[in-house]
Amino acid sequence: MMKRYGSVEAGGTKFICAVGNENNEIIISEAIPTTTYEETIKKVIVFFEKNRVDALAIGSFGPVDLDISSEQYGCILNTPKQGWTNVNIVLPIQKALNIPIFFTTDVNSSAYGEMHLNGCNNLVYYTIGTGIGGSAIQNGVFIGGIGHPEMGHQLIKKHPLDVNFNGVCPLHGDCLEGLASGPSIEARTGKKGQELEINSTVWDIQAYYIAQAILNTTLVIRPELVIVGGGVMSQHHMLDRIKMHFKKLLNNYVTIEDIDKYIKTPSVENNGSATIGNFLLAKNLLIKN
Amino acid sequence: MMKRYGSVEAGGTKFICAVGNENNEIIISEAIPTTTYEETIKKVIVFFEKNRVDALAIGSFGPVDLDISSEQYGCILNTPKQGWTNVNIVLPIQKALNIPIFFTTDVNSSAYGEMHLNGCNNLVYYTIGTGIGGSAIQNGVFIGGIGHPEMGHQLIKKHPLDVNFNGVCPLHGDCLEGLASGPSIEARTGKKGQELEINSTVWDIQAYYIAQAILNTTLVIRPELVIVGGGVMSQHHMLDRIKMHFKKLLNNYVTIEDIDKYIKTPSVENNGSATIGNFLLAKNLLIKN
Ligand SMILES: Nc1ncnc2c1ncn2[C@@H]1O[C@H](COP(=O)(O)OP(=O)(O)O)[C@@H](O)[C@H]1O
Ligand SMILES: Nc1ncnc2c1ncn2[C@@H]1O[C@H](COP(=O)(O)OP(=O)(O)O)[C@@H](O)[C@H]1O
Ligand SMILES: [Zn+2]
Ligand SMILES: [Zn+2]
């Protein structure tokens, strides 16, 4: 019989549940608003009780505990989202459905999907939205020794036209997220990214920072491919700006054969690569068992 | 019969050849001055013809081609060292000795040795010398998708007292290596690191940059342990300065249980961990075959 795989994209605004077939095609999906922990998880369980799957992968907003040997495995850790700190989002679903569950970060799910869609084994994924998240895969294995990456908080150099801006990260001020996330645009200009005129120098400043992040992970990890997604990247001019800065900053130090194939936006709209990534991660559980 | 393993630390000044036993003890070693390519490799071969080993690992200055499927595998690539660009340092040794050879970067060898000496599986290694090199290991596997890391050229934020210094990297100016390598000290002060007074603010500036590099790789890779070695770290006060800046910059964003166990200098003096790393990497070749 054809197997069915489940995906949960656990986000701060909504939990997207989906069921896929062996070909990663979505059979049914539902967006559940993120309300209280109990109510949200209950609705996820109800969805999968109605729509049975053989295995499930959950990609969650973070930080999360991914260490299977830890007591907190499956928990969302210290999140600013009220009522969601130290709640376990794997255990109750596992108990109710009694199927294998793979638990990871939302960016890891997206990265895994993109790896498959691009047919490669080594990739870095950045999402530039309300926060900045990052994921890396080497030879099909997620990078993250004692925890998942937190690439959004790396430190980078200031743009000459941005020296007086202190950044919006509550913890670090001018880390990457503090300087290049969506809210940093609003802090600089008083306008949301979707409203800011295309010829504002702020775009170039943002692109300069994102290019540095890509450069740093290029030099640390040496991936085959870098995907940049998230709300801010819906500005289509951003990709070219990032590539331009990346090229200039790298100055040919390592060989990137074709920059248009090296830095790309996601293959599927609306973070659909996370769903596919989850289907594949769920499938892996059955292969391994 | 006891096996014997060989180590070559191929450096710009000297090639250190060593033979070790099953317990990673050095039986004999010799430092061969790095002169011409032909002469140096010839002497390495003569050493191992006199002192036979069952397998050999070479940790080389770089950049090098580590891709076994590449035609240039075993070559030193574009190096400023005259006469050493595009020379193959594996092939002639392999032909002469006819034993399995593992080829990697000098920092990878050191990192592998430190992994063993510290009994861990996930680690980052930085060396702060004439240049800055970096290596990372996850679950015993070197990180480096389409090539070895080049962490020395990552970009970081400027120290407020260092804004007018442009850095010494010929390619990037103020990348990490441009700002925190040994030669950057000389460029700022006119004095070599070994001559600079201990109360110079330059030490604090250097430590600030090295701390940022450790922070960035902490957030990208999440290692268990970070080792910092190289000539500049012979200044024993540097380790404490680096830890102080690291703590302040990280601002508890991810949990580091004990910083004194997290950031350390190498376990063996004079880069001896590279020799042990090479013995282990050579041993692996026989286990795998
Ligand atoms: N078209 C757009 N252009 C620029 N910025 C945008 C656009 N759409 C959303 N953003 C910004 O991206 C951020 C939201 O990121 P998004 O990836 O959509 O969601 P989230 O990160 O909250 O999951 C907000 O700061 C928003 O202003
Ligand atoms: N005791 C010391 N204090 C500070 N800097 C030092 C010291 N010893 C060496 N250095 C500096 O470190 C650099 C050499 O680094 P080293 O790791 O010894 O060799 P290399 O990187 O060339 O293999 C030089 O710039 C030198 O000035
Ligand atoms: Zn931050
Ligand atoms: Zn550089």
PDB file of all heavy atoms in Angstrom, chain B residues 11-14 106 127-133 181-186 191-196 203 229-238 271, ligand 2:
ATOM      1  N   GLY B  11      54.415  22.537   5.949  1.00  0.00           N
ATOM      2  CA  GLY B  11      54.286  23.975   6.209  1.00  0.00           C
ATOM      3  C   GLY B  11      55.140  24.797   5.269  1.00  0.00           C
ATOM      4  O   GLY B  11      55.978  24.266   4.551  1.00  0.00           O
ATOM      5  N   GLY B  12      54.923  26.075   5.279  1.00  0.00           N
ATOM      6  CA  GLY B  12      55.669  26.972   4.405  1.00  0.00           C
ATOM      7  C   GLY B  12      57.131  27.102   4.800  1.00  0.00           C
ATOM      8  O   GLY B  12      57.978  27.460   3.982  1.00  0.00           O
ATOM      9  N   THR B  13      57.460  26.822   6.057  1.00  0.00           N
ATOM     10  CA  THR B  13      58.846  26.941   6.529  1.00  0.00           C
ATOM     11  C   THR B  13      59.520  25.582   6.598  1.00  0.00           C
ATOM     12  O   THR B  13      60.686  25.426   6.265  1.00  0.00           O
ATOM     13  CB  THR B  13      58.885  27.583   7.939  1.00  0.00           C
ATOM     14  OG1 THR B  13      57.910  28.626   7.988  1.00  0.00           O
ATOM     15  CG2 THR B  13      60.242  28.138   8.256  1.00  0.00           C
ATOM     16  N   LYS B  14      58.756  24.593   7.118  1.00  0.00           N
ATOM     17  CA  LYS B  14      59.327  23.252   7.190  1.00  0.00           C
ATOM     18  C   LYS B  14      58.271  22.166   7.015  1.00  0.00           C
ATOM     19  O   LYS B  14      57.080  22.410   7.231  1.00  0.00           O
ATOM     20  CB  LYS B  14      60.063  23.048   8.527  1.00  0.00           C
ATOM     21  CG  LYS B  14      59.255  23.410   9.755  1.00  0.00           C
ATOM     22  CD  LYS B  14      60.167  23.402  10.992  1.00  0.00           C
ATOM     23  CE  LYS B  14      59.374  23.542  12.283  1.00  0.00           C
ATOM     24  NZ  LYS B  14      58.713  24.835  12.486  1.00  0.00           N
ATOM     25  N   ASP B 106      46.487  21.457   7.145  1.00  0.00           N
ATOM     26  CA  ASP B 106      47.212  21.442   8.419  1.00  0.00           C
ATOM     27  C   ASP B 106      46.266  21.656   9.607  1.00  0.00           C
ATOM     28  O   ASP B 106      46.377  20.971  10.623  1.00  0.00           O
ATOM     29  CB  ASP B 106      48.350  22.467   8.408  1.00  0.00           C
ATOM     30  CG  ASP B 106      47.965  23.805   7.799  1.00  0.00           C
ATOM     31  OD1 ASP B 106      46.757  24.039   7.541  1.00  0.00           O
ATOM     32  OD2 ASP B 106      48.850  24.639   7.570  1.00  0.00           O
ATOM     33  N   THR B 127      43.593  28.674  14.189  1.00  0.00           N
ATOM     34  CA  THR B 127      44.991  28.982  14.443  1.00  0.00           C
ATOM     35  C   THR B 127      45.270  30.432  14.029  1.00  0.00           C
ATOM     36  O   THR B 127      44.950  30.851  12.918  1.00  0.00           O
ATOM     37  CB  THR B 127      45.937  27.983  13.735  1.00  0.00           C
ATOM     38  OG1 THR B 127      47.273  28.448  13.888  1.00  0.00           O
ATOM     39  CG2 THR B 127      45.632  27.838  12.266  1.00  0.00           C
ATOM     40  N   ILE B 128      45.809  31.196  14.987  1.00  0.00           N
ATOM     41  CA  ILE B 128      46.044  32.628  14.767  1.00  0.00           C
ATOM     42  C   ILE B 128      47.544  32.836  14.634  1.00  0.00           C
ATOM     43  O   ILE B 128      48.263  32.912  15.642  1.00  0.00           O
ATOM     44  CB  ILE B 128      45.501  33.472  15.961  1.00  0.00           C
ATOM     45  CG1 ILE B 128      44.158  32.926  16.497  1.00  0.00           C
ATOM     46  CG2 ILE B 128      45.422  34.943  15.591  1.00  0.00           C
ATOM     47  CD1 ILE B 128      42.981  33.134  15.600  1.00  0.00           C
ATOM     48  N   GLY B 129      48.025  32.875  13.423  1.00  0.00           N
ATOM     49  CA  GLY B 129      49.459  33.021  13.200  1.00  0.00           C
ATOM     50  C   GLY B 129      49.713  34.052  12.113  1.00  0.00           C
ATOM     51  O   GLY B 129      49.120  35.135  12.124  1.00  0.00           O
ATOM     52  N   THR B 130      50.573  33.710  11.162  1.00  0.00           N
ATOM     53  CA  THR B 130      50.826  34.595  10.019  1.00  0.00           C
ATOM     54  C   THR B 130      49.524  34.789   9.241  1.00  0.00           C
ATOM     55  O   THR B 130      49.220  35.873   8.770  1.00  0.00           O
ATOM     56  CB  THR B 130      51.907  33.982   9.108  1.00  0.00           C
ATOM     57  OG1 THR B 130      53.053  33.686   9.920  1.00  0.00           O
ATOM     58  CG2 THR B 130      52.290  34.924   8.003  1.00  0.00           C
ATOM     59  N   GLY B 131      48.771  33.714   9.128  1.00  0.00           N
ATOM     60  CA  GLY B 131      47.400  33.789   8.616  1.00  0.00           C
ATOM     61  C   GLY B 131      46.473  33.285   9.698  1.00  0.00           C
ATOM     62  O   GLY B 131      46.918  32.981  10.807  1.00  0.00           O
ATOM     63  N   ILE B 132      45.190  33.202   9.366  1.00  0.00           N
ATOM     64  CA  ILE B 132      44.248  32.573  10.303  1.00  0.00           C
ATOM     65  C   ILE B 132      43.586  31.410   9.578  1.00  0.00           C
ATOM     66  O   ILE B 132      43.022  31.578   8.502  1.00  0.00           O
ATOM     67  CB  ILE B 132      43.203  33.577  10.821  1.00  0.00           C
ATOM     68  CG1 ILE B 132      43.903  34.664  11.659  1.00  0.00           C
ATOM     69  CG2 ILE B 132      42.126  32.870  11.654  1.00  0.00           C
ATOM     70  CD1 ILE B 132      42.975  35.642  12.351  1.00  0.00           C
ATOM     71  N   GLY B 133      43.720  30.228  10.168  1.00  0.00           N
ATOM     72  CA  GLY B 133      43.107  29.041   9.576  1.00  0.00           C
ATOM     73  C   GLY B 133      42.039  28.502  10.497  1.00  0.00           C
ATOM     74  O   GLY B 133      42.043  28.770  11.699  1.00  0.00           O
ATOM     75  N   SER B 181      45.342  38.632  12.548  1.00  0.00           N
ATOM     76  CA  SER B 181      46.515  37.763  12.387  1.00  0.00           C
ATOM     77  C   SER B 181      47.738  38.445  13.015  1.00  0.00           C
ATOM     78  O   SER B 181      47.704  39.637  13.337  1.00  0.00           O
ATOM     79  CB  SER B 181      46.770  37.542  10.895  1.00  0.00           C
ATOM     80  OG  SER B 181      47.036  38.790  10.269  1.00  0.00           O
ATOM     81  N   GLY B 182      48.824  37.705  13.152  1.00  0.00           N
ATOM     82  CA  GLY B 182      50.070  38.276  13.653  1.00  0.00           C
ATOM     83  C   GLY B 182      50.495  39.532  12.890  1.00  0.00           C
ATOM     84  O   GLY B 182      50.748  40.577  13.501  1.00  0.00           O
ATOM     85  N   PRO B 183      50.566  39.470  11.557  1.00  0.00           N
ATOM     86  CA  PRO B 183      50.997  40.654  10.797  1.00  0.00           C
ATOM     87  C   PRO B 183      50.136  41.905  11.019  1.00  0.00           C
ATOM     88  O   PRO B 183      50.606  43.027  10.838  1.00  0.00           O
ATOM     89  CB  PRO B 183      50.911  40.176   9.339  1.00  0.00           C
ATOM     90  CG  PRO B 183      51.127  38.696   9.431  1.00  0.00           C
ATOM     91  CD  PRO B 183      50.470  38.269  10.718  1.00  0.00           C
ATOM     92  N   SER B 184      48.870  41.731  11.405  1.00  0.00           N
ATOM     93  CA  SER B 184      48.032  42.919  11.665  1.00  0.00           C
ATOM     94  C   SER B 184      48.542  43.671  12.895  1.00  0.00           C
ATOM     95  O   SER B 184      48.418  44.895  12.973  1.00  0.00           O
ATOM     96  CB  SER B 184      46.553  42.523  11.826  1.00  0.00           C
ATOM     97  OG  SER B 184      46.299  42.009  13.119  1.00  0.00           O
ATOM     98  N   ILE B 185      49.111  42.947  13.853  1.00  0.00           N
ATOM     99  CA  ILE B 185      49.684  43.594  15.040  1.00  0.00           C
ATOM    100  C   ILE B 185      50.840  44.490  14.607  1.00  0.00           C
ATOM    101  O   ILE B 185      50.930  45.665  14.988  1.00  0.00           O
ATOM    102  CB  ILE B 185      50.195  42.534  16.049  1.00  0.00           C
ATOM    103  CG1 ILE B 185      49.051  41.612  16.477  1.00  0.00           C
ATOM    104  CG2 ILE B 185      50.845  43.205  17.259  1.00  0.00           C
ATOM    105  CD1 ILE B 185      49.471  40.463  17.385  1.00  0.00           C
ATOM    106  N   GLU B 186      51.688  43.924  13.770  1.00  0.00           N
ATOM    107  CA  GLU B 186      52.851  44.672  13.286  1.00  0.00           C
ATOM    108  C   GLU B 186      52.422  45.891  12.467  1.00  0.00           C
ATOM    109  O   GLU B 186      53.001  46.978  12.588  1.00  0.00           O
ATOM    110  CB  GLU B 186      53.724  43.733  12.450  1.00  0.00           C
ATOM    111  CG  GLU B 186      55.174  44.139  12.435  1.00  0.00           C
ATOM    112  CD  GLU B 186      56.065  43.097  11.761  1.00  0.00           C
ATOM    113  OE1 GLU B 186      55.660  41.905  11.705  1.00  0.00           O
ATOM    114  OE2 GLU B 186      57.146  43.488  11.291  1.00  0.00           O
ATOM    115  N   LYS B 191      55.462  46.838  15.696  1.00  0.00           N
ATOM    116  CA  LYS B 191      56.166  45.802  16.469  1.00  0.00           C
ATOM    117  C   LYS B 191      55.551  44.439  16.208  1.00  0.00           C
ATOM    118  O   LYS B 191      54.345  44.311  16.053  1.00  0.00           O
ATOM    119  CB  LYS B 191      56.026  46.075  17.969  1.00  0.00           C
ATOM    120  CG  LYS B 191      56.763  47.292  18.455  1.00  0.00           C
ATOM    121  CD  LYS B 191      56.559  47.434  19.966  1.00  0.00           C
ATOM    122  CE  LYS B 191      57.052  48.782  20.437  1.00  0.00           C
ATOM    123  NZ  LYS B 191      56.689  49.051  21.826  1.00  0.00           N
ATOM    124  N   LYS B 192      56.396  43.417  16.206  1.00  0.00           N
ATOM    125  CA  LYS B 192      55.870  42.055  16.129  1.00  0.00           C
ATOM    126  C   LYS B 192      55.140  41.715  17.419  1.00  0.00           C
ATOM    127  O   LYS B 192      55.452  42.263  18.481  1.00  0.00           O
ATOM    128  CB  LYS B 192      57.025  41.061  15.966  1.00  0.00           C
ATOM    129  CG  LYS B 192      57.587  41.015  14.566  1.00  0.00           C
ATOM    130  CD  LYS B 192      58.530  39.819  14.426  1.00  0.00           C
ATOM    131  CE  LYS B 192      59.347  39.912  13.145  1.00  0.00           C
ATOM    132  NZ  LYS B 192      58.550  40.120  11.911  1.00  0.00           N
ATOM    133  N   GLY B 193      54.216  40.785  17.335  1.00  0.00           N
ATOM    134  CA  GLY B 193      53.467  40.375  18.517  1.00  0.00           C
ATOM    135  C   GLY B 193      54.342  40.014  19.701  1.00  0.00           C
ATOM    136  O   GLY B 193      54.070  40.397  20.841  1.00  0.00           O
ATOM    137  N   GLN B 194      55.449  39.321  19.418  1.00  0.00           N
ATOM    138  CA  GLN B 194      56.299  38.866  20.528  1.00  0.00           C
ATOM    139  C   GLN B 194      57.003  40.025  21.228  1.00  0.00           C
ATOM    140  O   GLN B 194      57.540  39.857  22.313  1.00  0.00           O
ATOM    141  CB  GLN B 194      57.286  37.763  20.079  1.00  0.00           C
ATOM    142  CG  GLN B 194      58.008  37.963  18.755  1.00  0.00           C
ATOM    143  CD  GLN B 194      57.208  37.409  17.586  1.00  0.00           C
ATOM    144  OE1 GLN B 194      56.114  37.906  17.270  1.00  0.00           O
ATOM    145  NE2 GLN B 194      57.753  36.417  16.915  1.00  0.00           N
ATOM    146  N   GLU B 195      56.988  41.219  20.586  1.00  0.00           N
ATOM    147  CA  GLU B 195      57.677  42.376  21.193  1.00  0.00           C
ATOM    148  C   GLU B 195      56.712  43.388  21.783  1.00  0.00           C
ATOM    149  O   GLU B 195      57.118  44.302  22.506  1.00  0.00           O
ATOM    150  CB  GLU B 195      58.524  43.079  20.120  1.00  0.00           C
ATOM    151  CG  GLU B 195      59.732  42.269  19.697  1.00  0.00           C
ATOM    152  CD  GLU B 195      60.080  42.489  18.238  1.00  0.00           C
ATOM    153  OE1 GLU B 195      59.652  43.501  17.642  1.00  0.00           O
ATOM    154  OE2 GLU B 195      60.755  41.588  17.677  1.00  0.00           O
ATOM    155  N   LEU B 196      55.436  43.241  21.495  1.00  0.00           N
ATOM    156  CA  LEU B 196      54.467  44.264  21.920  1.00  0.00           C
ATOM    157  C   LEU B 196      54.191  44.155  23.420  1.00  0.00           C
ATOM    158  O   LEU B 196      53.995  43.070  23.950  1.00  0.00           O
ATOM    159  CB  LEU B 196      53.168  44.088  21.130  1.00  0.00           C
ATOM    160  CG  LEU B 196      52.072  45.141  21.358  1.00  0.00           C
ATOM    161  CD1 LEU B 196      52.513  46.519  20.888  1.00  0.00           C
ATOM    162  CD2 LEU B 196      50.789  44.721  20.636  1.00  0.00           C
ATOM    163  N   TRP B 203      45.991  44.247  22.025  1.00  0.00           N
ATOM    164  CA  TRP B 203      45.642  42.884  22.438  1.00  0.00           C
ATOM    165  C   TRP B 203      44.139  42.731  22.610  1.00  0.00           C
ATOM    166  O   TRP B 203      43.543  41.720  22.226  1.00  0.00           O
ATOM    167  CB  TRP B 203      46.344  42.499  23.745  1.00  0.00           C
ATOM    168  CG  TRP B 203      47.817  42.402  23.597  1.00  0.00           C
ATOM    169  CD1 TRP B 203      48.767  43.116  24.292  1.00  0.00           C
ATOM    170  CD2 TRP B 203      48.536  41.554  22.688  1.00  0.00           C
ATOM    171  NE1 TRP B 203      50.027  42.758  23.872  1.00  0.00           N
ATOM    172  CE2 TRP B 203      49.913  41.806  22.887  1.00  0.00           C
ATOM    173  CE3 TRP B 203      48.169  40.617  21.721  1.00  0.00           C
ATOM    174  CZ2 TRP B 203      50.905  41.152  22.164  1.00  0.00           C
ATOM    175  CZ3 TRP B 203      49.147  39.968  21.013  1.00  0.00           C
ATOM    176  CH2 TRP B 203      50.503  40.231  21.228  1.00  0.00           C
ATOM    177  N   GLY B 229      44.722  28.119  18.671  1.00  0.00           N
ATOM    178  CA  GLY B 229      46.171  27.994  18.753  1.00  0.00           C
ATOM    179  C   GLY B 229      46.862  28.982  17.836  1.00  0.00           C
ATOM    180  O   GLY B 229      46.256  29.954  17.384  1.00  0.00           O
ATOM    181  N   GLY B 230      48.140  28.752  17.552  1.00  0.00           N
ATOM    182  CA  GLY B 230      48.926  29.625  16.680  1.00  0.00           C
ATOM    183  C   GLY B 230      49.796  30.576  17.483  1.00  0.00           C
ATOM    184  O   GLY B 230      49.568  30.791  18.671  1.00  0.00           O
ATOM    185  N   GLY B 231      50.793  31.149  16.790  1.00  0.00           N
ATOM    186  CA  GLY B 231      51.803  32.004  17.433  1.00  0.00           C
ATOM    187  C   GLY B 231      51.221  33.089  18.329  1.00  0.00           C
ATOM    188  O   GLY B 231      51.713  33.313  19.446  1.00  0.00           O
ATOM    189  N   VAL B 232      50.187  33.780  17.869  1.00  0.00           N
ATOM    190  CA  VAL B 232      49.631  34.901  18.643  1.00  0.00           C
ATOM    191  C   VAL B 232      49.097  34.416  19.989  1.00  0.00           C
ATOM    192  O   VAL B 232      49.156  35.134  20.990  1.00  0.00           O
ATOM    193  CB  VAL B 232      48.526  35.623  17.832  1.00  0.00           C
ATOM    194  CG1 VAL B 232      47.808  36.678  18.653  1.00  0.00           C
ATOM    195  CG2 VAL B 232      49.112  36.258  16.570  1.00  0.00           C
ATOM    196  N   MET B 233      48.634  33.178  20.043  1.00  0.00           N
ATOM    197  CA  MET B 233      48.075  32.655  21.291  1.00  0.00           C
ATOM    198  C   MET B 233      49.154  32.264  22.296  1.00  0.00           C
ATOM    199  O   MET B 233      48.839  31.898  23.432  1.00  0.00           O
ATOM    200  CB  MET B 233      47.128  31.484  21.014  1.00  0.00           C
ATOM    201  CG  MET B 233      45.851  31.876  20.286  1.00  0.00           C
ATOM    202  SD  MET B 233      44.896  33.171  21.118  1.00  0.00           S
ATOM    203  CE  MET B 233      44.380  32.285  22.599  1.00  0.00           C
ATOM    204  N   SER B 234      50.443  32.351  21.918  1.00  0.00           N
ATOM    205  CA  SER B 234      51.474  32.136  22.942  1.00  0.00           C
ATOM    206  C   SER B 234      51.437  33.268  23.959  1.00  0.00           C
ATOM    207  O   SER B 234      52.081  33.189  25.006  1.00  0.00           O
ATOM    208  CB  SER B 234      52.882  32.005  22.348  1.00  0.00           C
ATOM    209  OG  SER B 234      52.920  32.073  20.973  1.00  0.00           O
ATOM    210  N   GLN B 235      50.753  34.348  23.652  1.00  0.00           N
ATOM    211  CA  GLN B 235      50.473  35.380  24.667  1.00  0.00           C
ATOM    212  C   GLN B 235      49.394  34.811  25.581  1.00  0.00           C
ATOM    213  O   GLN B 235      48.217  34.775  25.220  1.00  0.00           O
ATOM    214  CB  GLN B 235      49.960  36.646  23.992  1.00  0.00           C
ATOM    215  CG  GLN B 235      50.950  37.295  23.055  1.00  0.00           C
ATOM    216  CD  GLN B 235      52.003  38.093  23.793  1.00  0.00           C
ATOM    217  OE1 GLN B 235      51.744  38.612  24.877  1.00  0.00           O
ATOM    218  NE2 GLN B 235      53.198  38.180  23.224  1.00  0.00           N
ATOM    219  N   HIS B 236      49.788  34.398  26.767  1.00  0.00           N
ATOM    220  CA  HIS B 236      48.842  33.636  27.587  1.00  0.00           C
ATOM    221  C   HIS B 236      47.636  34.445  28.056  1.00  0.00           C
ATOM    222  O   HIS B 236      46.577  33.894  28.323  1.00  0.00           O
ATOM    223  CB  HIS B 236      49.561  32.968  28.762  1.00  0.00           C
ATOM    224  CG  HIS B 236      50.505  31.908  28.307  1.00  0.00           C
ATOM    225  ND1 HIS B 236      50.083  30.814  27.577  1.00  0.00           N
ATOM    226  CD2 HIS B 236      51.850  31.801  28.413  1.00  0.00           C
ATOM    227  CE1 HIS B 236      51.133  30.067  27.278  1.00  0.00           C
ATOM    228  NE2 HIS B 236      52.222  30.638  27.763  1.00  0.00           N
ATOM    229  N   HIS B 237      47.793  35.769  28.127  1.00  0.00           N
ATOM    230  CA  HIS B 237      46.662  36.614  28.528  1.00  0.00           C
ATOM    231  C   HIS B 237      45.552  36.644  27.475  1.00  0.00           C
ATOM    232  O   HIS B 237      44.425  37.025  27.774  1.00  0.00           O
ATOM    233  CB  HIS B 237      47.160  38.048  28.790  1.00  0.00           C
ATOM    234  CG  HIS B 237      47.894  38.628  27.618  1.00  0.00           C
ATOM    235  ND1 HIS B 237      47.282  39.454  26.702  1.00  0.00           N
ATOM    236  CD2 HIS B 237      49.170  38.470  27.185  1.00  0.00           C
ATOM    237  CE1 HIS B 237      48.165  39.799  25.778  1.00  0.00           C
ATOM    238  NE2 HIS B 237      49.319  39.212  26.041  1.00  0.00           N
ATOM    239  N   MET B 238      45.879  36.239  26.261  1.00  0.00           N
ATOM    240  CA  MET B 238      44.890  36.343  25.172  1.00  0.00           C
ATOM    241  C   MET B 238      43.664  35.466  25.412  1.00  0.00           C
ATOM    242  O   MET B 238      42.542  35.858  25.109  1.00  0.00           O
ATOM    243  CB  MET B 238      45.532  35.995  23.824  1.00  0.00           C
ATOM    244  CG  MET B 238      46.316  37.135  23.219  1.00  0.00           C
ATOM    245  SD  MET B 238      45.258  38.544  22.810  1.00  0.00           S
ATOM    246  CE  MET B 238      44.537  37.995  21.258  1.00  0.00           C
ATOM    247  N   ASN B 271      52.086  22.717  18.167  1.00  0.00           N
ATOM    248  CA  ASN B 271      51.212  22.074  17.187  1.00  0.00           C
ATOM    249  C   ASN B 271      51.373  20.557  17.145  1.00  0.00           C
ATOM    250  O   ASN B 271      51.156  19.917  16.127  1.00  0.00           O
ATOM    251  CB  ASN B 271      51.440  22.685  15.793  1.00  0.00           C
ATOM    252  CG  ASN B 271      50.247  22.500  14.904  1.00  0.00           C
ATOM    253  OD1 ASN B 271      49.139  22.261  15.399  1.00  0.00           O
ATOM    254  ND2 ASN B 271      50.439  22.584  13.606  1.00  0.00           N
TER     255      ASN B 271
HETATM  256  N1  LIG C   2      54.901  35.043  21.499  1.00  0.00           N
HETATM  257  C1  LIG C   2      54.203  35.656  20.556  1.00  0.00           C
HETATM  258  N2  LIG C   2      53.369  36.661  20.851  1.00  0.00           N
HETATM  259  C2  LIG C   2      52.668  37.268  19.896  1.00  0.00           C
HETATM  260  N3  LIG C   2      52.734  36.982  18.615  1.00  0.00           N
HETATM  261  C3  LIG C   2      53.533  35.985  18.240  1.00  0.00           C
HETATM  262  C4  LIG C   2      54.299  35.266  19.180  1.00  0.00           C
HETATM  263  N4  LIG C   2      54.989  34.306  18.513  1.00  0.00           N
HETATM  264  C5  LIG C   2      54.681  34.438  17.218  1.00  0.00           C
HETATM  265  N5  LIG C   2      53.796  35.455  17.044  1.00  0.00           N
HETATM  266  C6  LIG C   2      53.257  35.942  15.789  1.00  0.00           C
HETATM  267  O1  LIG C   2      52.563  34.876  15.147  1.00  0.00           O
HETATM  268  C7  LIG C   2      52.857  34.865  13.749  1.00  0.00           C
HETATM  269  C8  LIG C   2      53.466  33.525  13.390  1.00  0.00           C
HETATM  270  O2  LIG C   2      52.524  32.536  13.660  1.00  0.00           O
HETATM  271  P1  LIG C   2      52.901  31.022  13.864  1.00  0.00           P
HETATM  272  O3  LIG C   2      51.658  30.311  14.231  1.00  0.00           O
HETATM  273  O4  LIG C   2      54.038  30.963  14.858  1.00  0.00           O
HETATM  274  O5  LIG C   2      53.478  30.541  12.473  1.00  0.00           O
HETATM  275  P2  LIG C   2      52.772  30.411  11.037  1.00  0.00           P
HETATM  276  O6  LIG C   2      51.391  30.984  11.098  1.00  0.00           O
HETATM  277  O7  LIG C   2      53.662  31.201  10.122  1.00  0.00           O
HETATM  278  O8  LIG C   2      52.786  28.943  10.783  1.00  0.00           O
HETATM  279  C9  LIG C   2      53.774  36.033  13.490  1.00  0.00           C
HETATM  280  O9  LIG C   2      53.014  37.124  13.009  1.00  0.00           O
HETATM  281  C10 LIG C   2      54.353  36.338  14.850  1.00  0.00           C
HETATM  282  O10 LIG C   2      54.687  37.719  14.995  1.00  0.00           O
END
